[in-house]
């Protein structure tokens, strides 16, 4: 499998994206559970089939780009794939202020490319991007994913445990920056119930608490996947909500503010959100600290 990934990493990304479209539709028609969950989540959030249907093909494109993102040679830059950057001036100012920056990077577009591109672009001027990382359970996948995290320029990975969270907090307090996937259901005890598209969703408290306790600036970030051959458009938007900056604000309010920001991003790109994720499921019990 690793050999296959590395061979596919040599295929032009534009061709892989084109191959991803039928792959996305194959999964859609091949799994009734996937299809029903996808439709239920998108329609309960208020989106029409015309708005969310492009996400079917986008899911395939997301899978098809993984060989390049995980398996390309360590020294190969991802930056030539980025067609445009926007919102970088305010982000640069926040990074230069050395108060810490937290990037909210939900499952929209290519979050895998987004992290690699941000780290590579800003490492020379602002140091590496620190992030939490949990190895995959399967050995072959763990090796591949490690190649996209540990062996990429500008990325500093920490384990998803208490020591890792403390290291992340130290990095933010010293003026560093991080990216966090905020729309996963955290283990029981590591989240609160907060509204998400009008429904109760168990929402992580890690990101809000880091923001409140370190005073780091919070930004929304997205890597939009453009049509095949056109690359990606990366955008940043400051999330200036007092609940995320006030250490005395209830964490429930901070989690709701974070979810509202994610909703805003999804409304901009409903055709690139991962609608099949079971966002409203009950949390599971777990001892480790996750993202």
């Amino acid at each position: 499998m690793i050999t296959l990934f590395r061979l596919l990493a040599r295929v032009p990304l534009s061709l892989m994206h084109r191959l991803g479209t039928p792959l996305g539709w194959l999964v859609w028609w091949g799994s009734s559970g996937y299809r029903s969950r996808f439709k239920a989540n998108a329609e309960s959030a208020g989106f029409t089939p015309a708005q969310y249907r492009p996400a079917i093909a986008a899911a395939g494109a997301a899978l098809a780009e993984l060989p390049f993102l995980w398996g390309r040679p360590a020294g190969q830059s991802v930056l030539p794939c980025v067609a445009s950057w926007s919102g970088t001036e305010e982000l640069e100012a926040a990074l230069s202020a050395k108060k810490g920056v937290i990037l909210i990077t939900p499952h929209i577009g290519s979050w895998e490319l987004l992290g690699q591109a941000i780290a590579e672009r800003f490492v020379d001027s602002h140091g590496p991007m620190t992030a939490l990382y949990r190895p995959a359970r399967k050995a072959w996948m763990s090796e591949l994913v490690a190649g996209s995290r540990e062996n990429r320029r500008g990325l500093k990975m920490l384990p998803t445990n208490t020591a890792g969270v403390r290291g992340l907090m130290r990095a933010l307090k010293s003026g560093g920056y991080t990216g966090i996937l905020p729309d996963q259901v955290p283990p029981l005890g590591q989240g609160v119930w907060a509204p998400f598209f009008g429904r109760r969703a168990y929402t992580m408290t890690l990101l809000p608490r880091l923001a409140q306790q370190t005073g780091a600036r919070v930004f929304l970030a997205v890597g939009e996947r453009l049509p095949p051959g056109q690359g990606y458009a990366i955008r940043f938007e400051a999330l200036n909500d007092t609940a995320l900056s006030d250490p005395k604000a209830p964490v429930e309010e901070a989690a709701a503010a974070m979810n509202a920001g994610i909703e805003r991003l999804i409304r901009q790109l409903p055709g690139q959100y991962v609608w099949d994720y079971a966002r409203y499921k009950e949390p599971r019990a777990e001892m480790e600290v996750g993202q």
Side-chain angles (χ1 to χ4, degrees):
M1 186 63 73
I2 294 175
T3 301
L4 176 61
F5 256 69
R6 288 174 178 164
L7 288 173
L8 290 175
R10 299 176 181 272
V11 177
L13 193 56
S14 59
L15 176 56
M16 292 299 292
H17 280 159
R18 288 186 174 91
L19 294 174
T21 294
L23 176 62
W25 280 100
L26 181 64
V27 174
W28 169 266
W29 289 116
S31 173
S32 59
Y34 170 87
R35 189 166 62 249
S36 61
R37 185 169 58 250
F38 191 115
K39 292 174 65 176
N41 285 341
E43 291 174 2
S44 70
F47 294 96
T48 66
Q51 290 175 305
Y52 69 71
R53 192 170 287 124
I56 299 169
L63 289 173
E65 69 192 8
L66 289 181
F68 171 77
L69 294 173
W70 291 358
R72 74 186 190 281
Q76 185 177 348
S77 173
V78 77
L79 294 181
C81 299
V82 182
S84 65
W85 299 77
S86 61
T88 53
E89 290 185 5
E90 188 169 6
L91 176 62
E92 286 268 20
L95 290 170
S96 298
K98 296 297 182 183
K99 300 295 184 181
V101 168
I102 299 173
L103 298 164
I104 297 177
T105 60
H107 290 87
I108 307 173
S110 182
W111 60 92
E112 287 282 351
L113 175 134
L114 179 65
Q116 292 184 25
I118 292 171
E120 191 175 342
R121 169 162 177 166
F122 294 111
V123 62
D124 289 335
S125 54
H126 300 290
M129 181 169 76
T130 305
L132 299 181
Y133 166 57
R134 173 180 294 165
R137 291 184 175 89
K138 294 183 178 180
W140 68 267
M141 185 174 287
S142 178
E143 183 178 342
L144 279 172
V145 177
S148 73
R149 306 289 199 275
E150 300 169 1
N151 300 326
R152 297 302 171 190
R153 185 169 182 267
L155 283 173
K156 178 182 178 181
M157 309 312 300
L158 297 176
T160 54
N161 54 28
T162 302
V165 173
R166 288 174 179 167
L168 187 54
M169 187 171 293
R170 287 194 297 270
L172 291 172
K173 287 183 176 180
S174 64
Y177 60 109
T178 187
I180 297 178
L181 284 166
D183 49 352
Q184 295 172 314
V185 177
L188 188 65
Q190 296 177 26
V192 294
W193 293 99
F196 186 65
F197 284 117
R199 298 171 64 184
R200 292 171 70 249
Y202 198 66
T203 302
M204 67 149 57
T205 53
L206 173 61
L207 192 156
R209 290 190 189 281
L210 283 172
Q212 290 178 333
Q213 294 175 21
T214 66
R217 287 284 307 279
V218 179
F219 285 78
L220 299 166
V222 63
E224 178 183 359
R225 189 180 299 104
L226 301 176
Q230 298 182 29
Y232 303 81
I234 291 179
R235 300 195 301 272
F236 304 105
E237 177 187 340
L239 187 56
N240 298 317
D241 192 292
T242 54
L244 287 165
S245 58
D246 182 1
K248 296 182 180 179
V251 71
E252 291 82 2
E253 291 183 13
M258 179 181 71
N259 280 354
I262 298 168
E263 287 181 20
R264 190 159 65 249
L265 280 183
I266 294 171
R267 289 191 177 95
Q268 295 170 9
L269 286 173
Q272 293 197 21
Y273 184 60
V274 180
W275 286 111
D276 71 292
Y277 183 63
R279 185 65 183 87
Y280 304 102
K281 67 183 179 181
E282 292 290 323
R284 70 188 186 282
E286 184 171 304
M287 295 300 293
E288 289 290 308
V289 175
Q291 285 191 186

